[in-house]
Amino acid sequence: MKKPVPIEYAELGTALQEVFLTREELLARVGELGRQISIDYAGKAPILVGALKGVMCFMADLVRSITIPLEVDFMAISSYSSEERDKGVVRVIKDLDLPITDRHVIFVEDVIDTGLTLNYLLRSLRARAPASLEVCALLNKSTRRLMDIPLRYKGFDLPDFFVVGYGLDYAERYRNLPFIGILKPGVLFSRGQPGN
Ligand code: IMP
Ligand code: MG
């Protein structure tokens, strides 16, 4: 059943067709992921690594649902041009602050779409010889996948449509929505250059 956009989002939500995942649905699933990570990584003090900015809300809720000691670090990457994207090239604007050699690393990602971004970043992290490297993604769009991504923790499978909110943007807007929404058809001009 279609979930309507709450009335208080009259200004921000005009381009939204409907709510895809409510705040409650997101928090419930993120809580489950956090409990599982707390069990799997007991005694390992993992480092959770995220790529800004799309992961901001997911990371904030995920770390607060994990009950074991952990550290958090972020990379910043730039949106790519369509040519760079086809080559799977990602520009790293800010690298990690923490060394990850011999550490248990969990890469936390908002959406995996083609997998090109994550594939590039995972290669770069693997080269630093972490003790282990796993991926935790909130949303998995497998229909457009080009690279094989090892996905240890997954929030939700997502059909091939563009979603915003809970950190995810369209042209830098909508990151502050507490839910994930679907844009109305026709709002999206180009699939080539989503923000990060
Ligand atoms: P990939 O390299 O094709 O896997 O692209 C993944 C990145 O594109 C994500 O980390 C997001 O920043 C962005 N992205 C992909 N799909 C969406 C979406 O539906 N909404 C917002 N951003 C998206
Ligand atoms: Mg991202």
Side-chain angles (χ1 to χ4, degrees):
M1 208 177 68
K2 195 168 160 172
K3 290 172 267 186
V5 176
I7 188 74
E8 61 269 31
Y9 291 98
E11 182 187 352
L12 180 57
T14 45
L16 295 181
Q17 178 181 302
E18 62 182 283
V19 173
F20 178 63
L21 293 164
T22 65
R23 174 95 183 112
E24 291 71 33
E25 288 167 334
L26 287 164
L27 274 184
R29 184 73 189 117
V30 173
E32 287 171 3
L33 294 173
R35 277 190 289 280
Q36 193 59 52
I37 289 173
S38 305
I39 294 166
D40 297 347
Y41 284 83
K44 291 184 172 170
I47 301 184
L48 274 67
V49 170
L52 296 169
K53 306 173 212 175
V55 80
M56 64 183 202
C57 295
F58 180 38
M59 181 69 96
D61 284 336
L62 183 65
V63 293
R64 285 179 290 177
S65 69
I66 296 175
T67 51
I68 56 167
L70 60 77
E71 288 155 47
V72 182
D73 206 350
F74 292 100
M75 307 173 92
I77 57 178
S78 75
S79 303
Y80 29 51
S81 66
S82 41
E83 304 86 74
E84 285 175 314
R85 181 191 172 91
D86 292 344
K87 286 187 239 144
V89 172
V90 174
R91 256 168 298 155
V92 176
I93 292 167
K94 180 210 165 286
D95 202 349
L96 297 178
D97 296 326
L98 304 171
I100 60 166
T101 305
D102 296 330
R103 298 291 307 271
H104 294 281
V105 176
I106 305 174
F107 194 93
V108 181
E109 177 65 306
D110 44 18
V111 189
I112 309 178
D113 186 10
T114 62
L116 289 169
T117 311
L118 195 51
N119 187 259
Y120 181 89
L121 294 176
L122 289 177
R123 258 189 292 147
S124 149
L125 296 181
R126 248 182 237 118
R128 305 176 201 188
S132 67
L133 178 59
E134 301 286 354
V135 177
C136 174
L138 179 66
L139 301 171
N140 181 43
K141 273 193 212 178
S142 51
T143 51
R144 282 161 42 93
R145 189 66 36 85
L146 298 174
M147 312 304 285
D148 191 29
I149 300 288
L151 189 49
R152 173 90 178 263
Y153 304 99
K154 178 179 72 178
F156 302 89
D157 280 305
L158 181 66
D160 180 22
F161 46 53
F162 198 81
V163 291
V164 295
Y166 197 61
L168 294 167
D169 75 307
Y170 174 60
E172 290 300 330
R173 290 276 173 94
Y174 307 107
R175 296 194 197 274
N176 57 318
L177 291 173
F179 53 84
I180 289 183
I182 304 171
L183 289 180
K184 282 180 186 157
V187 173
L188 210 57
F189 298 115
S190 146
R191 294 294 308 270
Q193 298 186 37
N196 294 302

